[in-house]
Amino acid sequence: MKTISLNIQDAVYFAGQEKFDALRPAAAEAISMLDEATGKGSGFLGWVRLPSETPDELIGRIEATAERLRSECEFVVCIGIGGSYLGAKAVISALSDNFSDFHAPEPGKPKVIFAGQNISGEYLADLRGLLKGRRFGIIVISKSGTTTEPAIAFRILKDMLAEQAGADAARRLTVAITDRSKGALRTLATQEGYETYVIPDNVGGRFSVLTPVGLLPIAVAGFDIRKLIGGAADMQRTTAHPSPDNPAGIYARMRNALYASGKKIELLINFNPRLHYFSEWWKQLYGESEGKEGKGIFPASVDFTTDLHSMGQWIQDGERTIFETVISVGKPAVEERIPSDAQNLDGINYLAGRSVDEVNRMAEIGTRLAHIDGGVPVIHIGIHSLDEHTLGQLIYFFERACGISGYILGVNPFDQPGVEAYKKNMFALLGKPGHEKETEAIRERIGAKQ
Ligand code: PA5
């Protein structure tokens, strides 16, 4: 089995071996707490055994639904936000041609696009423009079934689909992924007779990519969800034991040792633009899991070499409160070679005949050394290639490490109480029924006319 590799030697030096070693017992305890469900948030540990326990029958059903949507649609719009969006987006982007959005849909190969992940009227109007007169389907995803962003998008697109395809076809072309029994989306799905999938009660949004939330959109995009789950299951086994060489435990210990040494910001770094959204998924996973009680590493991300030309100065020379975790892809999907040029005006003939990715590799090594010299600890995660199996491994690795890391930090990694604060204000400002008192108070606070 090709597995991911983890190298912390360029980070441990900064935190000190002692600090890192001292976290061994806490990591071992955290691994057992995840396994035995004895820690905070233990009602949300369904993701721990998801890869090994996903029934074959469920995978088969997801594949059949995906095939049905693929055969009938040019576009499939996935509506959802946060954990109901980022996992699928991350995997699809990582496995897709960089320019797949600009290629026309082909029969049996619809474009998967996303909506309900913002509240922009322009975005929705542009999307309606794209879908006008086209055959499209909808996968609407919301665990609570009441989240404002996807609810707005679904209202608009549901009506459009019914107008364009007719009520019966619209029902057939809509799939809802939601709670087993609760929430507005469940009620609507039952009324309308949509095909539905359940988001398990014990799996929180940001840990849900290996449930139908992620699996259905990924299958619709044409990728092999069995290999994805297989990779995750391999990593489930690799990270199950509370031994000191558990890679998820090592990563969790390393980041907590760095945090205790004043490194408050973690930059997830890639040298491959296909991984941009993987970083977005990772930021939600770690940000929502650890940023609470006035604590938590701030998870940020940059895409190199692109951002070396914008953020490189700060990273090299700014306040020394950062560390980096670099995801390094070993084997590019294709080899592109640099041509020779008779005039050599740009002076890069010394690179002629070499592969673009060799240059990228040297940029990566050079950057790592420069950043270490500049006082930035670097954790290195090597993956063989960007494929379903490897992504499954990587997803599960980060999930398990996140649970361990949150427990070492002493927070509940499986709740997100802070996410509600903006919603309360927004509902009060919009005059949502039931929020009358808050509406009055907030209008007074901002000096708005009644
Ligand atoms: O991780 C989380 O819990 C959140 O990001 C949710 O996934 C997000 O708010 C969407 O919630 P829902 O699926 O209930 O619409």
Side-chain angles (χ1 to χ4, degrees):
M1 172 185 68
K2 286 177 188 114
T3 189
I4 67 173
S5 67
L6 172 70
N7 187 335
I8 56 161
Q9 76 187 30
D10 294 327
V12 82
Y13 160 80
F14 288 91
Q17 187 72 40
E18 273 174 22
K19 262 202 189 108
F20 174 70
D21 288 344
L23 291 173
R24 247 191 215 185
E29 196 191 346
I31 294 166
S32 303
M33 277 151 70
L34 289 177
D35 208 41
E36 291 154 19
T38 50
K40 291 178 184 169
S42 58
F44 288 93
L45 292 175
W47 58 272
V48 173
R49 292 188 183 79
L50 208 47
S52 61
E53 290 179 0
T54 302
D56 203 59
E57 181 267 322
L58 175 63
I59 302 173
R61 184 157 90 83
I62 291 172
E63 287 169 336
T65 306
E67 218 27 68
R68 183 169 66 74
L69 291 174
R70 280 167 70 76
S71 68
E72 290 200 53
C73 303
E74 294 170 280
F75 294 93
V76 175
V77 187
C78 296
I79 300 178
I81 194 167
S84 293
Y85 147 68
L86 282 164
K89 177 75 182 166
V91 173
I92 293 171
S93 293
L95 295 173
S96 297
D97 173 334
N98 284 290
F99 299 99
S100 58
D101 285 354
F102 299 96
H103 295 176
E106 289 170 38
K109 291 184 183 169
K111 298 286 170 197
V112 174
I113 46 185
F114 292 87
Q117 80 284 37
N118 57 54
I119 325 182
S120 162
E122 277 171 7
Y123 187 94
L124 287 166
D126 291 349
L127 182 55
R128 284 198 304 109
L130 176 72
L131 298 174
K132 192 156 184 243
R134 312 301 293 259
R135 284 177 292 115
F136 75 96
I138 297 176
I139 302 173
V140 55
I141 309 170
S142 178
K143 189 175 186 201
S144 63
T146 54
T147 307
T148 309
E149 290 89 339
I152 292 172
F154 186 45
R155 248 190 208 208
I156 291 172
L157 294 173
K158 167 167 77 68
D159 287 355
M160 181 176 180
L161 182 57
E163 263 166 43
Q164 278 191 193
D168 286 345
R171 274 194 278 274
R172 201 181 63 247
L173 293 170
T174 303
V175 179
I177 306 180
T178 189
D179 186 84
R180 188 179 308 277
S181 54
K182 297 188 301 284
L185 184 55
R186 170 57 61 187
T187 308
L188 182 68
T190 307
Q191 272 172 17
E192 295 288 323
Y194 300 148
E195 181 174 8
T196 61
Y197 285 89
V198 169
I199 309 177
D201 281 347
N202 59 359
V203 180
R206 58 189 175 276
F207 288 85
S208 69
V209 53
L210 298 172
T211 73
V213 169
L215 297 177
L216 181 59
I218 292 165
V220 171
F223 300 113
D224 189 334
I225 56 173
R226 288 178 192 268
K227 287 189 181 151
L228 188 79
I229 296 169
D234 286 345
M235 190 52 68
Q236 182 187 333
R237 280 187 292 276
T238 306
T239 57
H241 307 291
S243 61
D245 58 356
N246 180 324
I250 292 174
Y251 176 58
R253 280 157 64 197
M254 193 65 258
R255 45 199 309 285
N256 275 280
L258 290 166
Y259 183 58
S261 320
K263 305 296 184 191
K264 307 285 187 192
I265 302 165
E266 179 175 11
L267 293 178
L268 191 73
I269 288 171
N270 68 73
F271 282 77
N272 185 325
R274 288 188 183 188
L275 284 171
H276 175 83
Y277 277 97
F278 192 86
S279 296
E280 297 302 313
W281 169 82
W282 173 90
K283 283 193 281 194
Q284 186 203 2
L285 183 65
Y286 280 80
E288 270 190 7
S289 299
E290 294 193 314
K292 48 197 75 159
E293 299 174 31
K295 299 192 270 193
I297 295 168
F298 182 80
S301 65
V302 277
D303 300 325
F304 285 170
T305 62
T306 310
D307 294 332
L308 283 171
H309 297 259
S310 57
M311 295 296 288
Q313 174 61 38
W314 198 101
I315 296 167
Q316 188 69 43
D317 267 346
E319 194 182 26
R320 301 298 70 190
T321 47
I322 56 170
F323 68 97
E324 296 180 346
T325 297
V326 180
I327 300 179
S328 176
V329 185
K331 193 169 159 277
V334 286
E335 278 231 328
E336 188 74 10
R337 296 208 169 263
I338 300 164
S340 180
D341 183 273
Q343 290 199 70
N344 193 28
L345 291 175
D346 52 17
I348 61 164
N349 261 358
Y350 77 102
L351 297 175
R354 290 157 90 171
S355 103
V356 173
D357 286 290
E358 185 193 338
V359 180
N360 202 24
R361 173 77 56 207
M362 294 309 121
E364 183 183 325
I365 296 171
T367 304
R368 182 167 80 232
L369 296 175
H371 288 180
I372 293 165
D373 291 345
V376 181
V378 179
I379 298 171
H380 185 269
I381 295 175
I383 62 174
H384 179 258
S385 54
L386 278 181
D387 54 49
E388 289 95 331
H389 187 267
T390 309
L391 283 168
Q393 289 186 352
L394 206 54
I395 285 168
Y396 193 87
F397 168 80
F398 279 124
E399 288 182 346
R400 174 83 82 168
C402 183
I404 301 168
S405 186
Y407 280 156
I408 293 177
L409 187 66
V411 298
N412 176 355
F414 308 112
D415 66 1
Q416 54 284 327
V419 179
E420 295 310 308
Y422 96 91
K423 292 185 193 168
K424 278 189 196 145
N425 287 342
M426 180 178 78
F427 293 148
L429 286 164
L430 289 168
K432 185 174 177 179
H435 291 67
E436 290 74 11
K437 263 196 184 153
E438 291 84 351
T439 300
E440 207 178 301
I442 202 162
R443 289 201 171 158
E444 209 164 282
R445 182 170 163 196
I446 63 170
K449 291 202 175 93
Q450 297 291 320

